[in-house]
Amino acid sequence: MSNRISKLREQVDRLDVKMNEHSFVSTTGKSAVELPKAANEAVADHVSAVDDAAVERLRALIDEMDRRVADTSPALGRSDTRERILEMAIGLFAQRGFEACTVRDLADAVGIKPPGLYSHFKSKEDILSEAMLRALRGFLADACAPTAAAGAPARLHETVRRHIIYQLEHAQLTRAHDLLLNSKSVGQFLPEAERQLLHDARRAYYELIRARVAAASKPVSDLDLTTSTFAILTLCDGVVNWYRPEGELTAAQVADRYWDLISLMLQIA
């Protein structure tokens, strides 16, 4: 995308603009004011199309997560007990390790007898799969929610703000999900289809951030754009490592301060 934007602007720069006694006139017969305006409109349209495509890709993956979960849900539908199992499971799996955490451990934490788990899930692996999809799905749905933010910097700002606040309001879930995602459990015990879906969803979110960074700033190269994107993601993800709710800053205030840092890094006015 950044290459296409550069080419559009180079085309404008190369236009042979001549001056007459009334105005600047290009070889195309358009005024020098009209030419950059047309190019900028083309750039804006392209940026908007890329952003829309990234959001739609994420929404499609969220829909696929919902279908996977629906396929593994019992015919009687979801229940409070099933939700409690998922909430407890991701934390216990991350804390003790998937293999070390037994069905009895999980049942005791939920307050049911071990056979009761199998009324809701076919196996412990199914619990892991749905818990992982559920955690990431919640984050992505929040990131893709409609926004009134207008303009590339405002969209990036809103995305960063949502990322940080979601992380801090769901800190325990976020830590557990990240620990499991980086553990051997995902590779060993998740079905290939679920592993690929998690990978695709995380990649699609990266592409959304990358597109918004490119639109909001002026990266000098693809490497610069990639580095900036990963720096922002690392900042946003890492906030759970130090933030304490009882501290002086609210989640929203942390998000504002992080945006100040990011806008300085990207040289966004």
Side-chain angles (χ1 to χ4, degrees), residues 122 179 220:
K122 294 178 180 178
L179 279 171
V220 298

Side-chain angles (χ1 to χ4, degrees), residues 74 76-89 106-107 109-121 127 130 134:
L76 52 82
R78 306 188 71 80
S79 66
D80 290 341
T81 300
R82 183 183 177 87
E83 292 300 313
R84 290 204 314 276
I85 292 170
L86 291 170
E87 288 173 6
M88 296 302 301
L106 184 51
V110 176
I112 61 176
K113 295 184 178 180
L117 286 175
Y118 296 105
S119 298
H120 303 277
F121 298 93
I127 298 174
E130 185 167 336
R134 179 178 180 270

Side-chain angles (χ1 to χ4, degrees), residues 4 56 81 128 181 201 214 226 235:
R4 181 167 178 180
E56 285 306 309
T81 300
L128 173 66
L181 202 59
T226 299
L235 277 171

Side-chain angles (χ1 to χ4, degrees), residues 76-170:
L76 52 82
R78 306 188 71 80
S79 66
D80 290 341
T81 300
R82 183 183 177 87
E83 292 300 313
R84 290 204 314 276
I85 292 170
L86 291 170
E87 288 173 6
M88 296 302 301
I90 194 165
L92 286 174
F93 291 160
Q95 180 185 2
R96 302 183 186 180
F98 178 78
E99 290 181 281
C101 181
T102 66
V103 169
R104 179 173 294 280
D105 291 334
L106 184 51
D108 289 345
V110 176
I112 61 176
K113 295 184 178 180
L117 286 175
Y118 296 105
S119 298
H120 303 277
F121 298 93
K122 294 178 180 178
S123 66
K124 196 171 72 165
E125 288 75 12
D126 280 353
I127 298 174
L128 173 66
S129 177
E130 185 167 336
M132 293 294 289
L133 291 175
R134 179 178 180 270
L136 187 56
R137 187 242 184 253
F139 171 76
L140 294 178
D142 187 74
C144 293
T147 175
R155 283 196 297 271
L156 179 60
H157 184 183
E158 180 65 15
T159 308
V160 167
R161 182 178 178 278
R162 289 183 180 187
H163 189 142
I164 291 171
I165 291 176
Y166 189 92
Q167 294 279 102
L168 296 181
E169 291 181 347
H170 304 82

